[in-house]
Each structure stands twice: as structure tokens, then as C-alpha cells.
Amino acid sequence: MSNSIDTRSINAIRILSADAIQKANSGHPGLPLGSAPAAYTLWAKVMNHNPKDPNWANRDRFILSGGHGSMLLYSLLHLFGYGLTKEDLANFRQLGSLTPGHPEYRHTVGVEATTGPLGAGMAMAVGMAMAEKHLASVFNTENYPVVDHYTYVLGGDGCMMEGISYEAFSLAGTLGLSKLIVLYDSNDISIEGGTNIAFRESVQKRFEAFGFQTLRVEDGNDPDAILAAIEEAKADTTRPSMIEIKTKIGAGCPAKEGKASAHGEPLGVENVAALRENLGWEDSTPFAVPQDIYDNYAAIAAENAKAEDAWNELFAAWRSANPDLAKLWDEYHDENYAEKLYDDEAFWHICDAPEATRNVSGKLINYMKDKIPNFFGGAADLAPSTKTYMKDMGDFSKETPEGSNLHFGVRELAMAAIGNGIWLHGGLRPFVSTFFVFSDYVKPMARLSALMQAPLTYVLTHDSIGVGEDGPTHEPIEQLAMLRALPNFYAFRPADAMETAAAWYFAETSKTKPTALVLSRQNLPQLAGSSKEALKGAYILEDSTKETPDAIIIATGSEVQLAVEAREKLLTDGIDVRVVSMPCMDLFADQSADYQEKVLPAAVTKRVSVEALSTFGWERYVGLSGKKIGMTGFGASAPGGKLFEHFGITTDAVIAAVKEQF
């Protein structure tokens, strides 16, 4: 395979990467130089992909987990004709460019996932492979493998050191994700020097223990050996595969090859020139690539397009032969499908007795599973507690990939990333779940959900000091403030069944906003005034009889009932207050200024917030003179009811806080 045009096409990736990083005077040349042969071999000789249709449903997926090496991916996208121009490459890392420092999903065509936090791409690749396996089990029929593609992920030593990779690959091996192939850019270098200062394990043996097929390519500059290894990986139909490819960081640059300094800084003008000379690259003009190399890439892309043409014929024949499955396919891929729940009265009135919102959510999940066919999710070994198990839907496993219940094991961080990967793959509406306090483990990947505008749903239960006896390690305090601080992330803390339904409706109809449902362990009453107005983030639950209320009490979740009780007692003392339920601050902030003024008129400055979590952030709505009832320290171990009394989160405390302002 290693004829002149292939070698020169590989070197084009290296030259473009080095030139872009040098022009930006910022970036990571080491990975693109070392991994160019592996990337070219994969994209040119193995992968099914079509630059003219980047969203082809049955394309092979490629994730660059080592996102710092983004110029490797941008060079491939440019050379294969995905729309990146030389000007885009020359604007690498510049404001508004299509070539940001790390690859960003939705921003650059051909980028399958936002990567950069090491290991995240590895875990998202596992999610994509899970989605492929499940969808194949649902839709493939004899002679019609309409879902039949691979997920490839490339990363280096840093990705292998991160704990998220351990979590995700342990699950991948358990699930037998045979269409997941991991390319390990193994160059024995990290930022601080040789990896032996902190990383001496056998990665091969670790992956063997996970249940992977493990392969090794001794010379990462040998495309034939790389191709043979990938084909051997594909031939294993029972296990995922990891190919360790021994490379040299900064390969081809005489002064930098094999050195830590090649990782994260430009090569330097003289070293870029030396790279050209060493590779036999004659043109010294930055970003100049000979036409015959472009022609080679174009010919490969044209040949790849035939794979989609063949699949389109197969898909059309499958639709004709399987009209019921074809209808189901359309439902799976209709992003507006869940909107029909808005007029479904049974959905909005799932229960009428006092109930923990986690239980309400469980009932809603088991209602929606029959209404939303591509509902797919589970918990980090907590489904009995988070109430996220879907009855009669089966478990997704190596043996039963058609099941819809996911068992992530005690792996919260990987769970969130895998959920992202499932959504990114397309065709499924995933949710993940754990205790709210463990959103600390989830948060880095929830941040990626928000950044990618991936509307993954997070079911987070045991929402306050109401957890009780488990004590401060399991009682969330600051976590809701943390999630509220995330841009483009919508955290709901519903007060009853109606608000819980609103939270689920928002989550399932959202196209760009990930959602957290923060749910109670203890029973909560159904509130007479609750309504679909919860879809505005905050609304008037019980109003003053006066045109201008004497005061406003704003509450969320289990504390809304305290606000309602306080209003009744205050009225007997001649103080007429409004109660505002605010299940989602972020959503309320999206409403018009007129609506916000209607709910929280500026003229009413006497305000109290009530929430059995950190009071951080409530100044936004109660002002500096308002009162905040909540937690200013950690919780304690005792029955939940006792803790509310102990920490002063009571009806009497709300009444006192209102009266103090008169």
C-alpha cells in the first residue's frame, strides 16, 4: 500500500498541521505528526464515509479523543473535501474560525463529538458503539443490515491514564461491543516528559482484562501493518478491539521527534522547514499541497460515496419489505415526536396522591416508554432508587442488545459521557441517572452535553438534606448552584407531579438543551395551583388578593409546600403574599421581560427564597435586602424531618423571614 502517493498524502497531513500550528503560534503538533499514517490509513482505506453527506446514517464514526491534536482532524476534513478551506486552516485557533483549538461538534462539519478533556472521546465512542448495537438489533432483518457500521476512536497515553477510560472500556468489554475499535497512539511521552514517570502499566494487559482483543503495531509509520491490524480488529465479531500503535511524537521533525516539547507548542519556523526537508516536501509555501495529492483524496472520497449509494439501495429495499419497521425508523428519527405528549392528559396527571418526585418520574418513564419508542437509558447501579427501570423493556446486554434498560455499573463519569455518545450517534433518546450528590462525578461530561447542545437527560434523585440518615456525604448542598451555573444546561427541581411532568416534557422535546431532573426521596403533596406554566421556569402558584402583593415567597421542590403553608398563616396576620414556584431558574431567565415582571414585579422588594440547598445565587431573585432560607454548611445524619427542623427550613422560619422585612 505504501506507494508514493500514499506516503505523500500522509505527509500532506503533517505539513498542513505543522503550518497551521506555526501560523497560529499555538497548538499541538506532536499527535498529528505521529498519527498521520494511522489516520490516513483509517480514513482512506477502511472507513465508510462520504464528505458529500456527512450525516449519512450508516457512516463509520471517528472520534479524536486526543482533541488537542485537532489539526490532524482538520487536515483530514480539508483534504477529503468536507468543506474546510485552506483559509480555514490558516485561521486555526482564531476567533470565529471553523478550526478552534479543540474539535467542536455542531461547529465544524465532520466533527462527531466535542473533545479535549482527555478520555471523554473514548467514553463517547463507547456510547456510539452501544447505540449502533442496539439499533442494529431493532432494525436489521435477514439480508438487510441497514445498521452496520464501526466506531473508531483515536487517543494517546493521556486518554489511557484518565479514569473515565477505565470505566467506559470495562463496560464496553462486558457488553461485547465488537464494532468498537480503539487506536492507541502509544508514544511514551506526556507533557512532563517520558510516561514512565507516572505510567508504567501494561495497557495491553489491562484491555485484555476488560475483554478486548488486543493488537500491536510496532511501527506507527508502517501503513500496511496498521491496515492489517484494523482488518484483524474488524474480523473479531465478539469483542471490541484495541490496537496499540507505537509512534514517535512529532514524527518527521528532526529536532522534535520523540521529545515532550513536540506535544504542545509550535515546532518553530526552522523546524517546520527541517520537517519539509526531511519528508522530501519540495514546496516551502505554507499550506501548499500538490494537485495530485488532492486528486488522490478526491478519488478516495468518490469511491467512498459508492458505499452510501449501495446502502441507499439497500435501505430503500428494506423499507419496501418492512413497512412497519420503516414507520418505526421514522419515529426514531423524528426529533419532534415527543411533542404529542403536550396534549396527553394522562401524562400530565400521572398521580394525584402525595408522592416522591422520584416515584412520579418513575411512573412517567414507564408511561413514556410506550409513547416514545426510542427511549433508552438507565442508571449507575441505582435504578431501584432512582426509579428509572422500564418494565417489560428488557436489559441491554451482550446477549440481548434489543433491551432498552442500560446498566452502567458504578461508573457515573463514564455514564454521562456514554449518554452523550448515544445521543450523538442519532436515533435514540437517552437518559442517565444517579443520586444528585454524585452529580459531582457527572459534571465534566454534563458540561460537554451543554457545550455540544446535546439534549441528554439527567435523572438526579435524593435531592436535599431530606436524604436524612445517610448523612452529609450523601446530602447535596452546592450541586444545584453548580448545575445552574452551567451555560445551556437546564436544571429542574419540581415540587409535585405536574411540575415533574413539565420537566420531562421539556427534556424530551429539547433539541439543544440538556436537562437535569432533581427529584425528592420523600413524599410531596400534589399542589392545587401547579400547572403547565412550569414550562416557563417559574410561575405564580398562589397569588395575593391584592394587586401588588405585600411580599413574595419563591421556592422550589419540597420547600414549595412550606411557602404555601406560610402564606396561609401570614394571611391570618394581615400579610398577603404571593407564592412563586421556580422549578427551573434557567428557563425563567429565558422568558420575556414582561413575563418576568408579571411574576416578580420589581415594586415588591420584600422577598424570601426557600430551598433546602445552598443559598448561593438566590440574590438574583430576592435582592440584597431579601431573605434566603437554605443551607450555608453541610448536612448531618438524622431522619430527614429532623434535619429540616435542625437547619431552620420550616414554615415558621419562612413566616419569620417575611415578617422581618416589615
Side-chain angles (χ1 to χ4, degrees), residues 36-59:
Y40 175 78
T41 301
L42 179 64
W43 281 58
K45 309 295 180 179
V46 181
M47 273 175 53
N48 285 326
H49 64 108
N50 183 5
K52 292 183 178 178
D53 187 7
N55 296 317
W56 170 31
N58 201 47
R59 70 192 181 280

Side-chain angles (χ1 to χ4, degrees), residues 410-432:
V410 188
R411 303 182 179 101
E412 295 90 352
L413 178 59
M415 173 184 71
I418 288 168
N420 283 336
I422 292 169
W423 185 87
L424 289 167
H425 177 279
L428 293 168
R429 199 77 198 193
F431 64 88
V432 298

Side-chain angles (χ1 to χ4, degrees), residues 19 142 161 192 278 291 304 308 413 436 606:
D19 283 345
E142 189 174 1
M161 291 186 209
E192 295 182 355
N278 192 44
Q291 187 59 44
N304 279 345
E308 182 176 359
L413 178 59
F436 183 37
K606 296 178 176 65

Side-chain angles (χ1 to χ4, degrees), residues 286-363:
F287 304 103
V289 175
Q291 187 59 44
D292 66 329
I293 293 177
Y294 279 119
D295 292 343
N296 179 52
Y297 278 99
I300 295 166
E303 190 65 28
N304 279 345
K306 295 178 182 177
E308 182 176 359
D309 292 340
W311 182 84
N312 286 334
E313 291 181 14
L314 176 79
F315 188 64
W318 170 83
R319 289 188 73 96
S320 178
N322 301 279
D324 290 342
L325 278 178
K327 179 176 179 289
L328 188 65
W329 176 283
D330 293 340
E331 291 172 354
Y332 268 55
H333 293 84
D334 179 1
E335 63 178 9
N336 300 316
Y337 192 75
E339 290 179 4
K340 64 181 183 177
L341 290 172
Y342 189 83
D343 295 318
D344 186 335
E345 287 304 306
F347 171 77
W348 291 96
H349 298 93
I350 203 75
C351 67
D352 54 13
E355 191 91 70
T357 52
R358 64 167 175 159
N359 293 346
V360 174
S361 173
K363 291 179 178 179

Side-chain angles (χ1 to χ4, degrees), residues 123-426:
M124 287 189 281
V126 172
M128 292 183 186
M130 288 168 63
E132 192 276 344
K133 189 178 181 81
H134 177 69
L135 291 169
S137 73
V138 173
F139 291 108
N140 289 354
T141 59
E142 189 174 1
N143 300 321
Y144 295 107
V146 292
V147 181
D148 183 18
H149 53 265
Y150 288 83
T151 301
Y152 299 95
V153 59
L154 172 64
D157 293 298
C159 285
M160 294 305 180
M161 291 186 209
E162 288 284 4
I164 190 172
S165 299
Y166 285 68
E167 292 183 18
F169 290 139
S170 175
L171 184 59
T174 299
L175 295 173
L177 302 178
S178 60
K179 289 185 175 176
L180 172 66
I181 298 176
V182 180
L183 305 180
Y184 170 25
D185 173 32
S186 177
N187 58 35
D188 301 317
I189 293 292
S190 60
I191 291 174
E192 295 182 355
T195 53
N196 64 358
I197 61 176
F199 189 55
R200 298 187 184 187
E201 70 195 53
S202 169
V203 175
Q204 291 270 336
K205 289 180 180 177
R206 191 214 308 174
F207 273 80
E208 288 172 10
F210 288 154
F212 276 60
Q213 174 186 209
T214 60
L215 304 165
R216 183 178 171 105
V217 175
E218 293 295 344
D219 181 3
N221 219 25
D222 183 348
D224 293 322
I226 294 167
L227 179 60
I230 295 172
E231 294 297 345
E232 187 175 350
K234 291 177 67 177
D236 191 322
T237 59
T238 62
R239 298 177 294 175
S241 296
M242 188 279 287
I243 306 171
E244 181 174 8
I245 304 173
K246 296 302 298 182
T247 63
K248 292 183 178 179
I249 193 169
C253 180
K256 294 279 191 173
E257 186 174 281
K259 296 182 179 178
S261 61
H263 169 78
E265 62 188 40
L267 298 176
V269 174
E270 292 181 2
N271 285 326
V272 172
L275 172 70
R276 278 181 158 77
E277 183 178 353
N278 192 44
L279 297 178
W281 195 266
E282 296 178 357
D283 197 330
S284 62
T285 308
F287 304 103
V289 175
Q291 187 59 44
D292 66 329
I293 293 177
Y294 279 119
D295 292 343
N296 179 52
Y297 278 99
I300 295 166
E303 190 65 28
N304 279 345
K306 295 178 182 177
E308 182 176 359
D309 292 340
W311 182 84
N312 286 334
E313 291 181 14
L314 176 79
F315 188 64
W318 170 83
R319 289 188 73 96
S320 178
N322 301 279
D324 290 342
L325 278 178
K327 179 176 179 289
L328 188 65
W329 176 283
D330 293 340
E331 291 172 354
Y332 268 55
H333 293 84
D334 179 1
E335 63 178 9
N336 300 316
Y337 192 75
E339 290 179 4
K340 64 181 183 177
L341 290 172
Y342 189 83
D343 295 318
D344 186 335
E345 287 304 306
F347 171 77
W348 291 96
H349 298 93
I350 203 75
C351 67
D352 54 13
E355 191 91 70
T357 52
R358 64 167 175 159
N359 293 346
V360 174
S361 173
K363 291 179 178 179
L364 288 165
I365 286 171
N366 276 282
Y367 185 81
M368 289 185 290
K369 72 177 173 59
D370 298 322
K371 303 292 182 178
I372 303 173
N374 59 347
F375 215 31
F376 192 59
D381 197 46
L382 286 172
S385 292
T386 60
K387 309 301 180 185
T388 45
Y389 192 80
M390 294 178 281
K391 297 170 186 174
D392 305 319
M393 297 301 288
D395 295 345
F396 177 80
S397 71
K398 181 177 182 177
E399 296 77 20
T400 57
E402 69 278 6
S404 297
N405 286 293
L406 303 180
H407 298 280
F408 292 101
V410 188
R411 303 182 179 101
E412 295 90 352
L413 178 59
M415 173 184 71
I418 288 168
N420 283 336
I422 292 169
W423 185 87
L424 289 167
H425 177 279

